[in-house]
């Protein structure tokens, strides 16, 4: 499993603690210290819809009015590569399954 987070994010810290408390073995990546490159974001999203990967709380998301005028996939990938905070977090990735944010029930299901 891979866990993508931002160390200054309270939700991310809670998710990380949840995983640690349950002895989960995850490969961690702090997206602040080691931002994802465009190619990595593209591979992570794969054939999935890219919209759920956008952080709706991000200032750029609101400034660009992405809710009403979503960017194209190409534009979204470029923006996420330039602005790592535009990527929703934390992300828990287990093969084809991805959990956006911290959802204890979904985490428990993945860990089972």
């Amino acid at each position: 499993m891979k866990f993508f987070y931002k160390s200054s994010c309270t939700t991310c810290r809670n998710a990380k603690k949840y995983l640690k408390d349950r002895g989960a073995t995850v490969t961690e990546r702090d997206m602040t210290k080691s931002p994802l490159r465009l190619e990595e974001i593209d591979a992570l999203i794969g054939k999935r819809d890219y919209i759920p990967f956008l952080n709706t709380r991000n200032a750029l998301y609101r400034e660009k009015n992405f809710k009403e005028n979503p960017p194209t996939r190409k534009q979204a990938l470029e923006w996420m590569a330039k602005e790592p905070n535009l990527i929703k977090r934390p992300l828990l990735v287990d093969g084809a399954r991805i959990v956006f944010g911290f959802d204890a029930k979904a985490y428990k299901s993945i860990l089972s």
Side-chain angles (χ1 to χ4, degrees):
M1 278 186 284
K2 295 179 182 175
F3 181 65
F4 299 92
Y5 68 100
K6 181 179 174 187
S7 55
S8 61
C9 168
T10 303
T11 302
C12 295
R13 287 194 305 267
N14 290 338
K16 188 174 176 179
K17 181 179 181 331
Y18 181 93
L19 292 168
K20 182 181 178 187
D21 289 350
R22 280 147 188 84
T25 302
V26 295
T27 301
E28 297 179 2
R29 182 158 177 188
D30 184 340
M31 294 189 294
T32 303
K33 295 176 183 174
S34 181
L36 295 167
R37 297 183 328 273
L38 188 138
E39 299 80 17
E40 292 175 302
I41 297 166
D42 188 32
L44 179 65
I45 295 172
K47 295 183 186 244
R48 296 177 188 89
D49 182 7
Y50 62 94
I51 296 295
F53 286 83
L54 295 170
N55 180 2
T56 59
R57 295 181 179 185
N58 179 267
L60 181 66
Y61 182 94
R62 292 189 309 271
E63 178 184 307
K64 298 279 185 187
N65 195 23
F66 284 160
K67 182 176 182 176
E68 299 298 321
N69 300 304
T72 64
R73 178 186 169 92
K74 181 177 185 246
Q75 291 168 330
L77 293 174
E78 289 171 355
W79 277 112
M80 286 187 272
K82 288 179 191 173
E83 177 58 48
N85 286 327
L86 187 56
I87 301 171
K88 190 162 190 157
R89 61 187 186 274
L91 290 173
L92 181 61
V93 181
D94 181 31
R97 299 186 299 177
I98 294 182
V99 178
F100 299 92
F102 176 41
D103 176 344
K105 187 176 180 179
Y107 275 38
K108 183 178 180 182
S109 173
I110 283 183
L111 296 175
S112 300

